[in-house]
Amino acid sequence: MKVHVLFLLIHYFNGVQAGLEDQIIELDQLTFTGCANYILDTVPYTTQFMDWAVFCRDMNALSSLVGCFESIGRNELYMYGYLFEECASENLVLDESNITNAANHLLIDGVPAEFIRKDTPSENVKRPVIVNGTVAMLFVLGQQQYDKMYSDSTWYGIGALGYWLSVCLVGAIANWSVIIFPSLRFKLNGTIAKSWRKYITLPALAKKSQSRLKTIGLIGMLLPSRIETIVSVLFFVLLVVFSAAGINPYKNNPNFALNEFTLTKYVGDRAAHLCIFLVPLLLLFGGRNNFLIWLTRWKFSTFVAYHRWIGRWVVLLAIVHGCSYSSLFNMTNTYGSRVATSFIQWGITGIVAGSLVLFQGLLFLRRRWYEFFLITHIVLVFVFVFSAYQHTEDLGFSGVLYASFAIWGFDRFVRLARLVVFGFPMAEISLQDDKIRVTIPKPAHWTAVPGGHAWIHFGDKAWFWQSHPFCCIADETNLTFYCKVQKGITAKFQKKLQSHPEKSFKIRVGVEGPYGKSNPIKHHSDVVFIAGGNGFPGIFSELEQLLKALDSKQRLQFNWIVKDVDSFNMMAEHINRLSIARIEFNVYITQKSSPGPKSLDSPCEEDAFAEKKSISQGSIPQEEFPSVNFYFGRPDLMETVQSNIEDCSTGVAFVCCGPTAMIDDLRYFVVSNIDKTNKRVDFYDTLEIWA
Ligand SMILES: Cc1cc2nc3c(=O)[nH]c(=O)nc-3n(C[C@H](O)[C@H](O)[C@H](O)COP(=O)(O)OP(=O)(O)OC[C@H]3O[C@@H](n4cnc5c(N)ncnc54)[C@H](O)[C@@H]3O)c2cc1C
Ligand SMILES: *[C@@H]1O[C@H](CO)[C@@H](O)[C@H](O)[C@H]1NC(C)=O
Ligand SMILES: *[C@@H]1O[C@H](CO)[C@@H](O)[C@H](O)[C@H]1NC(C)=O
Ligand SMILES: *[C@@H]1O[C@H](CO)[C@@H](O)[C@H](O)[C@H]1NC(C)=O
């Protein structure tokens, strides 16, 4: 990890330094560009726009230029360095004698600039002109202003990165301080801290909408949480400000003919700078092995949410850049010749690829064809970054793009390394109701993260390249995953198993992990777990971890809302392992009979609110689990939250995993009760959704 960061920083530093060096324009270039602009703006020596080579071939133009240098006191040989270089690159070599000759020519033939009418055909301009020194100086200063704007753009690019760095640092401090100083959380529980958490960091964007799909016409989207929204909106405002800051070409710039041109160029250049500096960050945020996940302790899904928003702005900035340069080429009638260059073609390719990502990444497509989305996403993003690299190679940005590829390559490398470290063991696949159970022997050197997850590759000819994330339950020898049957590989396994006599088979698997982290719940006086249906494996390991270290001080409650008794029995072996007599273990069975293959995604909608009553029917394994409280019907979650807040001694943490609707409800109930007590109330969910 450290090497990774170092590597990145070095690349980044190189890129930034090259960017800055490129923009510190020397005085000779500045003087030449200012005078050349002035002369060509006043006297039509050439019909082509910005045809600076005219000073290398036309004696009259060169004489006027020498006069301009003289008029502002810069007629020294080293001031011609830039001109000599430019001419040499056009194979029109100039030297000191040309300058001396030109100065003499001006003395003999020079006329004030006003003597030559602006509409004179260029081939008829046969004399050098004497320019006004005051105006010439203004042109040079105008040029200086433009160059400053250009080099400032690099700083605005760095500033945009600085924003994210600061946000991540604030997150890191907030989340690590409760790990390192557990008591801090209980001290920081005043009105302000509570309001901050109630209104800013904990809630969904609006009421209960966090993890539910919102649809506006054809465009469905996952709503970010409130804090994610605030961070993203602030970033957008910052980008708008950075896109416009310091862009005022009119000030002091006498080069009025160029003003429209300059303004357009400023806007286009600034957009390009901001865009390119965000690319490495964009790739970093999209990767599973992003060191910022470790630093900030945010969920991967939070980074994916930011990844999506940054991506939108990056493409938008690229489009702004493309549009402004298109209009520049139009203004100068050079569209055709510019588009013929590979430089511009790479730029266009990048913008097209980037724009396609905006559409192919729509939630609609991610949901329906996840793997298709993933492959096209990778290909298009590669085309985008590679085109950006080709397009900016000569402009001093290659370091930034090397960093982008380094970040990407590093993520892929770590993913491969994790697979190799786990080895490729044979897993046992079996069918349990609507779930595929995957049992994988665990290598001794590999430790699972309670509350974390791992990505599984199944060694199937058609599917091995796909990896799917699942929460796991680990014991000393095995990892057990419970995968709900969906439309992809899980459906294929289900079909295979249904016809299988033993209802189980073996297959080679790759496991990439562990990812995720445990929640900081060791120091709460009370911890309440709430699992809905398939959410059981998501929090069971955390319960197990707490139980192992349980002292008499901590009170644990585990609530599991489950479809039927069979679903409970499937997990019996895991529950058996624990000394659950020491805790309050509640099981809510929501379906009384006929356990049909109904979706577990929404157990809360399966039946109307049933009264909570303790029962002991024959089908319930009450004797086997004497300490488990079985109930029929679903619990009143608001009541569960309120009574636990009331009953806890100093603070309670709610840890939840389950259907999205249940998590959203729970979050809402916790948020609405957080300021009704003096005790500390925390909420953690193990839900991560990005597709
Ligand atoms: C952190 C995490 C932990 C999870 N833990 C569990 C678990 O313990 N038990 C369980 O049953 N399910 C879990 N899931 C969901 C599980 O990963 C998907 O249901 C699974 O990938 C579907 O595979 P499929 O080929 O059968 O489905 P498909 O029919 O191909 O896909 C169904 C839907 O699943 C989603 N999906 C598919 N592949 C991925 C992917 N690689 N990454 C993200 N989403 C994807 C897409 O939204 C897709 O539309 C978890 C998901 C995440 C993100
Ligand atoms: C510069 O000098 C060379 C050699 O004397 C001459 O051929 C060339 O025309 C001069 N160029 C200009 C622009 O005067
Ligand atoms: C040069 O231009 C300035 C500003 O336009 C003007 O005030 C000044 O009189 C001019 N000088 C000459 C010598 O024409
Ligand atoms: C681990 O899995 C193997 C194969 O499924 C099984 O034989 C063994 O009993 C399991 N071990 C534990 C501790 O559950």
Side-chain angles (χ1 to χ4, degrees):
M1 210 51 113
K2 275 186 203 128
V3 179
H4 172 45
V5 177
L6 196 69
F7 190 51
L8 263 182
L9 285 179
I10 290 171
H11 262 309
Y12 227 97
F13 186 70
N14 282 342
V16 168
Q17 201 195 18
L20 286 176
E21 266 172 13
D22 200 50
Q23 289 138 28
I24 298 169
I25 295 186
E26 304 294 334
L27 207 56
D28 57 342
Q29 184 180 354
L30 211 59
T31 309
F32 168 75
T33 318
C35 275
N37 274 337
Y38 178 20
I39 290 164
L40 296 185
D41 205 31
T42 322
V43 186
Y45 284 112
T46 170
T47 48
Q48 282 164 283
F49 193 81
M50 289 203 151
D51 172 22
W52 288 347
V54 71
F55 297 103
C56 313
R57 34 168 220 269
D58 184 334
M59 181 65 156
N60 295 316
L62 181 63
S63 295
S64 308
L65 187 77
V66 173
C68 181
F69 276 42
E70 177 72 48
S71 74
I72 55 172
R74 292 193 184 167
N75 193 18
E76 277 147 82
L77 193 60
Y78 75 90
M79 284 289 175
Y80 291 96
Y82 181 75
L83 174 67
F84 287 175
E85 262 170 47
E86 287 294 293
C87 293
S89 73
E90 303 267 334
N91 280 327
L92 293 160
V93 179
L94 290 188
D95 59 25
E96 195 179 349
S97 66
N98 288 87
I99 303 301
T100 321
N101 289 344
N104 289 335
H105 181 48
L106 183 69
L107 278 180
I108 299 161
D109 274 345
V111 290
E114 303 84 66
F115 276 49
I116 294 174
R117 286 168 50 113
K118 273 202 119 172
D119 54 1
T120 317
S122 64
E123 57 275 17
N124 293 343
V125 186
K126 295 227 163 87
R127 300 190 69 173
V129 294
I130 301 160
V131 299
N132 180 327
T134 319
V135 179
M137 198 63 209
L138 287 176
F139 267 92
V140 173
L141 291 174
Q143 187 61 34
Q144 202 166 7
Q145 189 194 359
Y146 173 88
D147 294 337
K148 176 158 170 25
M149 191 292 302
Y150 192 89
S151 65
D152 281 353
S153 293
T154 302
W155 291 111
Y156 286 111
I158 295 170
L161 290 178
Y163 170 80
W164 284 104
L165 188 67
S166 333
V167 171
C168 287
L169 277 180
V170 171
I173 291 170
N175 289 332
W176 278 101
S177 57
V178 299
I179 306 268
I180 299 169
F181 311 107
S183 60
L184 198 66
R185 176 155 50 187
F186 302 96
K187 290 197 185 106
L188 274 181
N189 199 31
T191 322
I192 297 171
K194 269 195 216 133
S195 308
W196 170 256
R197 292 170 59 237
K198 181 182 169 93
Y199 295 107
I200 308 288
T201 57
L202 263 185
L205 178 57
K207 220 176 168 193
K208 299 183 183 177
S209 54
Q210 175 122 336
S211 34
R212 287 175 210 181
L213 168 71
K214 287 282 162 297
T215 328
I216 309 151
L218 248 186
I219 301 177
M221 64 182 289
L222 295 169
L223 284 188
S225 72
R226 197 169 292 174
I227 180 76
E228 286 166 9
T229 309
I230 293 172
V231 168
S232 306
V233 168
L234 277 181
F235 181 60
F236 177 69
V237 171
L238 191 80
L239 274 188
V240 171
V241 171
F242 280 6
S243 296
I247 296 192
N248 52 349
Y250 300 99
K251 205 167 133 199
N252 289 335
N253 191 343
N255 203 349
F256 291 116
L258 283 174
N259 263 349
E260 194 190 350
F261 181 88
T262 319
L263 179 64
T264 313
K265 196 165 153 57
Y266 276 22
V267 171
D269 285 352
R270 178 62 60 78
H273 271 88
L274 292 172
C275 172
I276 213 88
F277 275 88
L278 287 173
V279 170
L281 191 79
L282 181 62
L283 295 180
L284 183 66
F285 277 23
R288 289 179 201 171
N289 295 288
N290 160 8
F291 68 91
L292 292 174
I293 295 180
W294 173 85
L295 180 77
T296 56
R297 298 185 63 84
W298 293 338
K299 290 178 181 181
F300 178 46
S301 58
T302 297
F303 278 100
V304 177
Y306 292 146
H307 168 80
R308 286 197 295 267
W309 283 107
I310 297 172
R312 285 167 194 144
W313 307 142
V314 162
V315 174
L316 194 69
L317 287 166
I319 292 174
V320 167
H321 174 69
C323 289
S324 57
Y325 268 82
S326 296
S327 91
L328 287 181
F329 299 157
N330 263 340
M331 277 180 214
T332 57
N333 283 323
T334 54
Y335 204 92
S337 62
R338 297 290 189 137
V339 170
T341 63
S342 66
F343 173 66
I344 297 301
Q345 282 163 1
W346 279 117
I348 295 172
T349 312
I351 290 173
V352 169
S355 310
L356 287 177
V357 175
L358 288 191
F359 293 103
Q360 70 89 214
L362 288 178
L363 184 65
F364 172 76
L365 299 175
R366 295 206 301 275
R367 283 261 156 116
R368 270 172 194 70
W369 302 283
Y370 185 82
E371 306 300 334
F372 174 73
F373 150 76
L374 196 62
I375 293 170
T376 38
H377 193 66
I378 292 170
V379 170
L380 288 172
V381 171
F382 184 84
V383 172
F384 178 76
V385 182
F386 188 71
S387 308
Y389 171 74
Q390 292 286 346
H391 181 71
T392 58
E393 206 187 351
D394 296 334
L395 303 175
F397 292 108
S398 36
V400 176
L401 291 156
Y402 285 143
S404 308
F405 281 113
I407 288 166
W408 201 349
F410 179 81
D411 183 49
R412 292 281 153 177
F413 171 76
V414 174
R415 284 173 61 173
L416 201 66
R418 282 177 184 264
L419 278 172
V420 171
V421 165
F422 193 90
F424 296 90
M426 295 299 282
E428 197 181 290
I429 311 283
S430 58
L431 188 63
Q432 289 191 344
D433 194 9
D434 62 347
K435 290 188 270 300
I436 304 284
R437 182 194 155 119
V438 182
T439 315
I440 304 174
K442 185 177 82 69
H445 57 82
W446 198 91
T447 8
V449 173
H453 57 275
W455 299 71
I456 309 184
H457 288 267
F458 293 100
D460 178 285
K461 277 195 292 302
W463 300 87
F464 69 92
W465 52 275
Q466 294 190 6
S467 65
H468 293 276
F470 297 102
C471 304
C472 70
I473 297 179
D475 55 42
E476 287 77 44
T477 50
N478 291 331
L479 295 179
T480 315
F481 297 85
Y482 294 90
C483 318
K484 195 175 129 192
V485 174
Q486 301 272 6
K487 291 193 204 73
I489 179 121
T490 45
K492 182 179 169 167
F493 284 169
Q494 186 189 35
K495 222 178 263 162
K496 191 168 169 182
L497 285 164
Q498 274 162 349
S499 57
H500 228 270
E502 287 136 44
K503 302 272 179 247
S504 89
F505 64 89
K506 293 211 165 217
I507 192 169
R508 202 165 281 289
V509 290
V511 175
E512 185 197 325
Y515 287 100
K517 60 191 182 307
S518 304
N519 293 310
I521 49 179
K522 280 193 207 111
H523 300 275
H524 290 81
S525 64
D526 298 63
V527 181
V528 177
F529 292 90
I530 301 165
N534 274 341
F536 180 85
I539 54 177
F540 180 77
S541 302
E542 286 209 81
L543 170 72
E544 186 173 12
Q545 189 187 34
L546 282 196
L547 253 179
K548 273 184 191 150
L550 189 63
D551 52 22
S552 51
K553 278 186 235 139
Q554 202 170 31
R555 182 182 72 96
L556 302 185
Q557 185 188 81
F558 194 93
N559 301 288
W560 186 19
I561 306 155
V562 70
K563 190 174 63 172
D564 51 32
V565 176
D566 287 351
S567 304
F568 173 84
N569 286 333
M570 276 167 214
M571 300 296 165
E573 57 167 307
H574 302 295
I575 300 170
N576 251 329
R577 242 191 8 243
L578 310 185
S579 38
I580 52 164
R582 303 172 62 189
I583 66 173
E584 187 185 340
F585 202 107
N586 302 320
V587 176
Y588 298 89
I589 292 161
T590 55
Q591 210 176 50
K592 283 186 187 143
S593 55
S594 68
K598 206 169 171 183
S599 162
L600 259 188
D601 232 11
S602 49
C604 305
E605 286 147 30
E606 269 167 20
D607 53 14
F609 178 64
E611 211 175 287
K612 180 170 149 183
K613 56 179 192 286
S614 194
I615 54 110
S616 146
Q617 287 187 354
S619 58
I620 303 279
Q622 187 71 70
E623 272 163 39
E624 236 179 290
F625 295 94
S627 61
V628 174
N629 309 313
F630 288 97
Y631 302 97
F632 269 148
R634 60 172 205 177
D636 177 356
L637 290 175
M638 181 62 150
E639 212 266 327
T640 308
V641 169
Q642 278 172 340
S643 63
N644 275 298
I645 293 177
E646 235 160 74
D647 295 349
C648 75
S649 60
T650 59
V652 55
F654 292 93
V655 185
C656 318
C657 185
T660 54
M662 186 192 95
I663 303 272
D664 283 348
D665 282 347
L666 276 168
R667 181 198 322 278
Y668 177 71
F669 297 149
V670 170
V671 164
S672 47
N673 281 301
I674 203 167
D675 53 354
K676 298 198 178 129
T677 173
N678 289 327
K679 299 165 193 168
R680 170 77 187 197
V681 182
D682 279 296
F683 176 83
Y684 301 101
D685 70 82
T686 317
L687 194 69
E688 297 207 39
I689 298 185
W690 54 80

